[in-house]
Amino acid sequence: MGKREGFASSFGVLVAMAGSAVGLGNLWRFPYLVGTNGGAAFIIIYLACVLVLALPIMYSEFIIGRRSQSNVFGAYKKLAPDSKWCNVGFIYVLCSITIISFYSVVGGWTIDYFVKAATFQFSSASADQLSGMFANTVTSTASPLVYMLVFLGITALIVLAGVKNGIEKYSKIMMPLLFILVIVIAIRSVTLENSYAGIEFLFKPDFSKITAQTFLDALGQAFFSLSVGSGSILTYASYVSRKENIVKLSAQTAISDTMFAIVAGVAIMPAVFAFGISPSEGPGLVFVTLPYIFNQLPFGSFLAVLFFFALFIAAITSSISMLEVIVAYLDEEFKLKRRTSIVLSLILIATLGVFCSLSQGVMSDVKILGNSIFDLFDKSSANIMLPLGGLIAVIFVGWRMKKAEYADEITSGGLVKFSRTTVGIFYFFIKYIAPVVIATIVIRSLF
Ligand code: PFF
């Protein structure tokens, strides 16, 4: 391993961070969780989780990563030498492996649907036929595996190209394009006849639907969507220069991600209602609803191709950030060549991914703690590992690092000016609010 790379420009850092945050979490997971958790009330709790919990974690990961300029394991080793803190690095590596394993299966579905859209396979299909098509797509044995491997292969190639020439270069082109596409679809969706019920569902809360599980789902989704708690932000932050304003970067990342989620909701829900599809359709929501919508729209086939390409883009810029966690760890801690680290990671992820994929079909009878392997990977990472990873980061910054070190990092060594009150408020959230609330939600809903 040579000299450590870094991002070349502030814009590059921002698109890479936003690229990691914006992904299937916004366009696939968020809409279906909103659908199954009753709509607006879930969104309100979700937004509160972003602001009060995920953002302090993002600051903390930024602080740890940028200050240490090291991978998830080395970071804690550098900042807390002669202690056992570095072992927490394993949680981030494990979490990234778990997420990317099922994420690449869904990433594979996006490629599959892109191909289907480009070859007009769902033009003129009815809603029932589309439901059947989704079921067929995910329960087949061979094709989801092939698409998953293609998705992983592309992820690996970009990560192999390195931080500047891979992640930064691709994110710069892909993210703005994606945003434009989702806005176009949202505008089309709200202008459909009978779409109002969908807007009401998104923005008029019904608090009677809320349970402890709603809180855990909202918390998990906030972390998943902002990529916090898995070490991705920490690892990317380790490539960020000392001059960058990390508070601003975190806020911009969180705002872009939240905007994407809301716009994705607006793109999908009004259309779901306009066409009489059930909002609680589940993980198939995007894949069943949108093709149906596209079929009813002028230029629908063209929009469908663009949309699934966009979904694929969103997924790739996120999966590269997960793979980077594992690769940076192997690179730096075991002094492996980048290529070797990538190959080793891929072998492990692809193997786990095979089980996640098959658990939708031939292995659907295999249940662990009542869940299919896919669901187990999804739920355990979002609702347990990410909160745990996040908790560790805030506890480390709040309780292990010196307040002076925290202040030095948040002000980029004095380059960025904040009032003492602002610095103090962020600190209060990191030190007290985030740890207490995360622990309460996770413990309450688990027991
Ligand atoms: N934030 C990504 C999304 O919304 O799709 C998913 C993700 C990326 C989760 C990176 C965790 C992570 F470390």
Side-chain angles (χ1 to χ4, degrees):
M1 205 197 65
K3 187 174 168 299
R4 235 171 167 269
E5 272 195 288
F7 288 110
S9 67
S10 306
F11 183 65
V13 180
L14 178 64
V15 281
M17 291 286 177
S20 166
V22 176
L24 293 168
N26 307 61
L27 296 155
W28 162 70
R29 207 172 185 274
F30 180 75
Y32 94 71
L33 281 178
V34 170
T36 49
N37 280 291
F42 175 84
I43 298 184
I44 293 172
I45 303 174
Y46 169 81
L47 292 176
C49 288
V50 167
L51 202 66
V52 177
L53 308 176
L55 206 52
I57 296 174
M58 195 180 273
Y59 291 145
S60 305
E61 284 198 39
F62 253 110
I63 290 171
I64 299 168
R66 212 247 315 244
R67 194 160 188 84
S68 63
Q69 302 278 304
S70 195
N71 66 87
V72 286
F73 194 89
Y76 287 93
K77 204 156 59 179
K78 258 193 197 162
L79 300 179
D82 309 319
S83 76
K84 295 216 163 50
W85 268 101
C86 63
N87 295 319
V88 301
F90 289 118
I91 293 172
Y92 297 111
V93 174
L94 183 69
C95 182
S96 298
I97 292 173
T98 311
I99 299 182
I100 198 172
S101 300
F102 78 87
Y103 201 90
S104 39
V105 174
V106 186
W109 300 347
T110 66
I111 306 182
D112 192 334
Y113 267 72
F114 170 71
V115 173
K116 283 187 167 69
T119 50
F120 306 104
Q121 286 185 42
F122 44 61
S123 10
S124 78
S126 68
D128 280 350
Q129 284 169 327
L130 287 165
S131 258
M133 183 183 277
F134 178 72
N136 262 341
T137 303
V138 303
T139 54
S140 311
T141 303
S143 67
L145 290 183
V146 173
Y147 284 120
M148 176 198 76
L149 291 176
V150 172
F151 182 85
L152 270 178
I154 297 172
T155 304
L157 285 177
I158 297 179
V159 173
L160 182 63
V163 178
K164 243 180 247 156
N165 295 326
I167 295 167
E168 186 170 340
K169 193 168 113 193
Y170 286 85
S171 302
K172 256 186 193 166
I173 312 164
M174 290 173 170
M175 296 317 297
L177 174 65
L178 176 63
F179 194 65
I180 296 167
L181 281 172
V182 185
I183 297 250
V184 169
I185 297 170
I187 292 173
R188 202 65 200 88
S189 180
V190 293
T191 48
L192 285 169
E193 221 175 298
N194 300 329
S195 63
Y196 187 69
I199 298 179
E200 221 173 45
F201 183 77
L202 281 175
F203 297 110
K204 203 166 153 200
D206 174 1
F207 290 105
S208 66
K209 299 236 170 68
I210 294 174
T211 61
Q213 187 60 36
T214 318
F215 278 92
L216 187 64
D217 279 347
L219 173 96
Q221 175 58 19
F223 288 14
F224 188 88
S225 194
L226 260 64
S227 307
V228 299
S230 65
S232 282
I233 300 289
L234 192 162
T235 306
Y236 271 12
S238 75
Y239 304 120
V240 170
S241 102
R242 294 255 172 240
K243 292 193 292 268
E244 300 289 345
N245 178 344
I246 59 178
V247 172
K248 193 164 133 201
L249 271 173
S250 303
Q252 286 171 332
T253 306
I255 290 170
S256 6
D257 187 73
T258 307
M259 266 168 29
F260 257 102
I262 301 293
V263 177
V266 176
I268 291 163
M269 278 309 161
V272 164
F273 280 80
F275 292 108
I277 292 168
S278 163
S280 54
E281 174 85 32
L285 191 68
V286 166
F287 294 96
V288 175
T289 311
L290 288 181
Y292 186 59
I293 296 157
F294 293 132
N295 282 347
Q296 323 275 323
L297 296 174
F299 311 113
S301 307
F302 176 65
L303 281 184
V305 175
L306 280 188
F307 178 81
F308 286 106
F309 181 62
L311 200 55
F312 162 72
I313 292 168
I316 281 285
T317 52
S318 299
S319 64
I320 55 183
S321 74
M322 291 179 242
L323 185 58
E324 185 63 29
V325 173
I326 311 160
V327 169
Y329 162 69
L330 293 176
D331 261 10
E332 295 176 9
E333 296 305 312
F334 298 95
K335 308 278 175 279
L336 298 181
K337 286 212 177 72
R338 203 166 166 83
R339 186 180 295 268
T340 316
S341 308
I342 292 174
V343 171
L344 289 177
S345 316
L346 277 192
I347 293 173
L348 179 61
I349 295 163
T351 310
L352 294 171
V354 167
F355 288 103
C356 288
S357 181
L358 295 182
S359 76
Q360 299 284 327
V362 288
M363 285 179 72
S364 59
D365 288 344
V366 180
K367 297 273 185 233
I368 303 170
L369 304 169
N371 290 295
S372 69
I373 300 174
F374 183 99
D375 286 347
L376 183 78
F377 275 47
D378 180 345
K379 286 187 194 159
S380 65
S381 56
N383 294 359
I384 298 171
M385 291 186 216
L386 291 179
L388 185 63
L391 198 57
I392 289 167
V394 281
I395 289 178
F396 186 81
V397 173
W399 297 89
R400 166 74 208 215
M401 276 173 85
K402 295 199 181 67
K403 191 169 177 190
E405 287 178 288
Y406 151 83
D408 181 59
E409 202 55 46
I410 221 143
T411 59
S412 303
L415 276 176
V416 184
K417 299 282 175 244
F418 290 111
S419 70
R420 284 180 61 168
T421 325
T422 312
V423 174
I425 291 175
F426 290 152
Y427 196 62
F428 182 74
F429 270 80
I430 290 174
K431 186 160 178 152
Y432 300 105
I433 306 280
V436 172
V437 180
I438 297 168
T440 312
I441 294 180
V442 174
I443 291 168
R444 265 219 55 173
S445 50
L446 285 182
F447 304 103

